[in-house]
Amino acid sequence: MMSRLLYRLGRAAASRPWRFVVVWLAIVAAAAGFAGMAGGSLHDDYTLAGTGSQQATDLLRERFPALAGADARVVVHAKSGQVDPAKLAAAAADLRRLPHVSEVGPAQPSPDGATALMTVRYSVPVTDLAPGETLDRLRSATEGLAGYQVEFGGQVPENVTAPGGVAEAIGIVAALVILFLAFGSVVAAGLPLAVALAGLGVGVSGITLAAAVTDVATTAPTLATMVGLGVGIDYALFILTRHREGLAAGLDVPEAAGRAIATAGLSVLFAGFTVLLALSGLVLSRIPVFMTMGFTTGLVVAATVLSALTLLPAVLGLAGRRVLRRRDRDAGAAITVESPRVRRWAAHVGRHPWPWLLAASVLMLALAAPALGMRTWPSDASSEPASNTVRQAYDLVADAYGPGANGPLVVAVDLEKADRGVLPGLGERLAGTDGVAAVAPPVVSPHRDAAVIMVTPEFGPQDERVTGLVDRIRADALPPGAEITGLTATYVDLSRMLSDRLWPVIGAVVATSFVMLMIVFRSLLAPLKAAAMNLLSIGAAYGVLTAVFQWGWGAEPLGLPHSVPVSSFILLLLFAVLFGVSMDYEVFLLSRVREEWLLHGDARGSVTSGLAATGRVISSAALIMVAVFLGFAADPGLVIKQMGVGLAVAVALDATVVRLVLVPAAMALLGRANWWLPRPLARVLPEIDLHGGAGPAPAAEREPEPSRA
């Protein structure tokens, strides 16, 4: 039923292309126009419900609003002599006049007087400040400090930055080159890219509109663009390849387009749905910023699927036979769909499955091994290049005041729940806690219903010992009614929350994807094998990330000053995106293998033929994805940089080790059991035709028993 509907849709679009093209142009223009008029601004919501740091933050917002907004640090350093207090006072007066600034604290000189630190507090959260403008205003307000080294740190300079478009440009150019080399036709190379960009444009406009009614994370558009661009090009590529096969078989353009949408298009539909299922798992994180990343990326993926199924057949109708190489159009030569090398390789692996299965498994497990020592922690200013002002401010503060001054802890005390006489004893207990460098006198709120004590650790916010320090303070020093917050304490809670919720997300995503693949392919073992191999790819990506970033094996080439922990955001995000993207290739490969199995009933031969038919296009698609994702490794944001590297590594391994070795080896060992489905399930599961009407061979009609081929 579904394949017939898609066939009619594809044929209609190719027969009346201008109608569909005009509708799509109108949709893209309308979406962009509405986004420009009614779109909202991006806003990070890092609410960590139920954590101690969130409770303390809520108390500050209620009773210490001046301490609950964003902050910036102005670090002034005299390369010789001391900083002039009069110039600092004048600069503080200028800073107080900036928009949203509620107060500027007194300048804190270092012991030698060569460095001074001014804290600027804003009346709004950092996510409510306009990108780019705030740092420029800080620079303008401190122009009177000419002659000194002036650097800026704190929440505002570290988080309020405008994204660039270099990563997107790198990915697009690389994809265009790969497509041209694969097809030898400018038209064929440009079509997948144009169709993907149309879907991407609609999806990104949808994100901007969504930001008007809900919080959308500042990194969500970049992540959505990275994933949408990769899968959008791939989806169009798979359909285009099937269309070219139809033209080579002598079909006219509308018929070839209709059959391509009915077969490869249906696979695209289910592949996109698999990605959406994986992204939906982020809802289980219950962290708002992750939930928005999931639904915004899903919005872009859905738009690219829609463009591949409706816009692509229309432009294929306009292009006619120009999607073929010129010599193929002129001479009418048949297009070689299969890759003889891949066929020979698949047959070789099928004859010797055990050695190849074991060798590939050992390789993947070896790559995954470093992940056993992975330390996850959000990035801070110390991870920035040495030329960045926030990194220079971080270094100046660490040298003048100690590394812990870059991540002070904030103890908030609710005096309505705690004894007012607890403050002196609390300060003494805090000062006596191992790992505390200094404790400031308590500051009581104007209504004397709350108090704040600033605690300076002995070590910086990325130091592994900070987690133990926060735990000791909570366990040994804090009385009832007191909690600890600040950047470092929030990082501790965030990392733990993400680690705790990783396994429920993994379980939900794997289970739902397994059920969907079981329905699509009417098999128990094929989806189980797919899930296991996807987990291997993801584990290997985690291991490579640990080696590159945490061990520092590739930090400097990627623009980082030194090794850094893997960002806490990566575990959940990378798993959700990778599982969906890897399942894309599994759907395309298995659909072709099952088509051969239904036609011929040859368990081992169907794997060889299916891999030979899809090997070239999957390799091209994977190469495009790797190029796109590596382009995003140039992004200045550490989360996007690590996502780009992780996705590129996983896709590269998935298209080589998994698809060319593990899949043919495992399916050769399983033989006919690949398509085994218990009769009770076979009676209740719906029939889904991914193959445009390929009927089962007699051998396929019999229920196979698990056996070795």
Side-chain angles (χ1 to χ4, degrees):
M1 178 67 177
M2 181 66 71
S3 61
R4 288 198 297 271
L5 290 175
L6 289 176
Y7 168 78
R8 292 171 185 167
L9 175 64
R11 186 176 178 86
S15 301
R16 304 172 184 86
W18 281 115
R19 296 182 184 182
F20 285 79
V21 170
V22 169
V23 169
W24 259 99
L25 289 175
I27 291 174
V28 172
F34 281 125
M37 291 186 298
S41 57
L42 303 177
H43 183 279
D44 290 314
D45 184 356
Y46 288 106
T47 301
L48 305 178
T51 63
S53 60
Q54 188 62 49
Q55 294 172 18
T57 299
D58 293 341
L59 180 65
L60 291 178
R61 287 174 179 167
E62 178 185 351
R63 303 180 192 177
F64 271 104
L67 297 178
D71 70 78
R73 287 177 157 194
V74 180
V75 187
V76 186
H77 178 68
K79 296 183 179 179
S80 62
Q82 298 182 336
V83 179
D84 185 354
K87 289 188 175 182
L88 291 174
D94 291 336
L95 288 167
R96 290 189 186 95
R97 287 191 284 268
L98 294 179
H100 303 298
V101 170
S102 58
E103 69 173 17
V104 178
Q108 304 173 39
S110 61
D112 60 2
T115 305
L117 174 63
M118 290 188 291
T119 301
V120 181
R121 297 200 175 276
Y122 292 79
S123 58
V124 295
V126 65
T127 50
D128 289 351
L129 298 172
E133 293 182 6
T134 312
L135 184 56
D136 292 338
R137 287 169 175 164
L138 288 172
R139 289 195 174 104
S140 298
T142 54
E143 287 178 350
L145 295 171
Y148 297 117
Q149 180 184 359
V150 182
E151 306 295 347
F152 304 95
Q155 288 180 318
V156 171
E158 291 177 19
N159 293 285
V160 181
T161 55
V166 176
E168 291 90 337
I170 293 174
I172 290 172
V173 171
L176 191 58
V177 171
I178 295 167
L179 286 168
F180 179 75
L181 293 176
F183 290 124
S185 165
V186 174
V187 174
L191 288 183
L193 189 57
V195 170
L197 289 176
L200 189 64
V202 172
V204 172
S205 296
I207 292 176
T208 305
L209 289 170
V213 295
T214 188
D215 290 331
V216 173
T218 53
T219 56
T222 306
L223 176 65
T225 299
M226 175 168 58
V227 177
L229 187 60
V231 300
I233 294 174
D234 279 6
Y235 293 162
L237 175 62
F238 286 119
I239 295 174
L240 174 61
T241 301
R242 198 66 181 245
H243 175 73
R244 283 162 52 94
E245 292 179 24
L247 294 179
L251 302 177
D252 61 21
V253 172
E255 181 67 16
R259 294 194 184 186
I261 297 297
T263 52
L266 188 55
S267 296
V268 163
L269 186 62
F270 282 108
F273 187 65
T274 306
V275 176
L276 294 180
L277 281 179
L279 292 171
S280 298
L282 293 175
V283 174
L284 298 178
S285 70
R286 291 181 290 171
I287 300 175
V289 68
F290 279 90
M291 296 168 69
T292 63
M293 287 182 184
F295 85 74
T296 52
T297 304
L299 183 63
V300 172
V301 170
T304 58
V305 170
L306 185 62
S307 67
L309 296 179
T310 58
L311 177 60
L312 180 58
V315 294
L316 289 176
L318 290 175
R321 297 185 64 83
R322 284 174 294 175
V323 296
L324 303 176
R325 297 175 188 265
R326 184 177 296 276
R327 64 174 180 267
D328 296 334
R329 300 199 302 265
D330 295 341
I335 298 174
T336 303
V337 175
E338 287 194 355
S339 170
R341 292 182 180 179
V342 175
R343 173 175 284 278
R344 288 194 297 270
W345 171 258
H348 170 73
V349 173
R351 289 193 299 270
H352 310 282
W354 276 116
W356 285 109
L357 181 68
L358 292 175
S361 299
V362 168
L363 173 61
M364 298 293 280
L365 292 173
L367 291 173
L372 297 174
M374 178 190 289
R375 177 179 178 246
T376 59
W377 194 254
S379 61
D380 62 16
S382 66
S383 303
E384 298 293 331
S387 58
N388 195 309
T389 185
V390 297
R391 169 64 189 281
Q392 294 191 33
Y394 184 98
D395 292 341
L396 287 173
V397 169
D399 292 340
Y401 305 94
N406 280 300
L409 303 172
V410 182
V411 176
V413 185
D414 186 346
L415 294 179
E416 293 182 350
K417 297 180 180 179
D419 185 354
R420 294 179 186 272
V422 77
L423 293 181
L426 176 57
E428 292 175 2
R429 288 199 300 275
L430 289 170
T433 303
D434 184 30
V436 171
V439 177
V443 177
V444 181
S445 65
H447 297 289
R448 306 193 64 79
D449 56 355
V452 168
I453 301 176
M454 306 298 293
V455 179
T456 303
E458 293 179 351
F459 22 78
Q462 275 204 11
D463 195 294
E464 295 185 35
R465 295 171 288 180
V466 296
T467 301
L469 173 59
V470 171
D471 290 342
R472 285 194 297 274
I473 290 176
R474 284 174 169 166
D476 303 331
L478 297 185
E483 252 305 342
I484 185 171
T485 186
L487 186 67
T488 303
T490 301
Y491 281 177
V492 170
D493 289 340
L494 176 62
S495 295
R496 283 185 173 154
M497 182 177 286
L498 292 174
S499 297
D500 291 343
R501 294 178 183 175
L502 175 64
W503 293 109
V505 171
I506 290 177
V509 170
V510 172
T512 53
S513 299
F514 171 82
V515 172
M516 195 204 75
L517 290 183
M518 181 179 66
I519 294 172
V520 171
F521 294 112
R522 299 183 64 80
S523 166
L524 278 182
L525 296 184
L528 186 63
K529 169 192 63 64
M533 292 182 181
N534 281 359
L535 292 176
L536 265 182
S537 296
I538 295 170
Y542 284 164
V544 172
L545 275 178
T546 303
V548 169
F549 290 95
Q550 185 174 319
W551 294 1
W553 286 8
E556 291 187 9
L558 290 168
L560 297 174
H562 50 69
S563 61
V564 296
V566 176
S567 174
S568 300
F569 293 91
I570 288 298
L571 287 180
L572 276 177
L573 283 178
L574 191 61
F575 173 80
V577 174
L578 264 183
F579 198 87
V581 169
S582 296
M583 276 298 184
D584 278 359
Y585 294 136
E586 190 72 16
V587 168
F588 291 120
L589 174 58
L590 283 184
S591 63
R592 198 59 179 259
V593 172
R594 181 166 172 78
E595 182 176 348
E596 295 292 331
W597 159 252
L598 291 174
L599 288 171
H600 306 295
D602 181 355
R604 181 178 294 176
S606 63
V607 177
T608 302
S609 298
L611 199 60
T614 60
R616 182 177 296 163
V617 66
I618 287 180
S619 297
S620 298
L623 192 57
I624 290 170
M625 272 206 180
V626 170
V628 169
F629 294 149
L630 284 180
F632 281 86
D635 191 274
L638 184 61
V639 172
I640 298 300
K641 188 186 295 290
Q642 292 186 346
M643 281 289 293
V645 172
L647 287 169
V649 168
V651 169
L653 291 173
D654 199 80
T656 54
V657 179
V658 173
R659 302 294 156 227
L660 294 179
V661 182
L662 286 174
V663 167
M667 295 191 79
L669 288 170
L670 291 172
R672 298 163 60 83
N674 283 298
W675 311 112
W676 174 68
L677 186 69
R679 292 189 184 278
L681 277 177
R683 285 193 292 268
V684 299
L685 291 182
E687 291 275 0
I688 297 175
D689 181 14
L690 285 175
H691 323 296
E701 292 176 344
R702 298 188 298 269
E703 180 183 351
E705 300 297 332
S707 63
R708 184 188 184 283

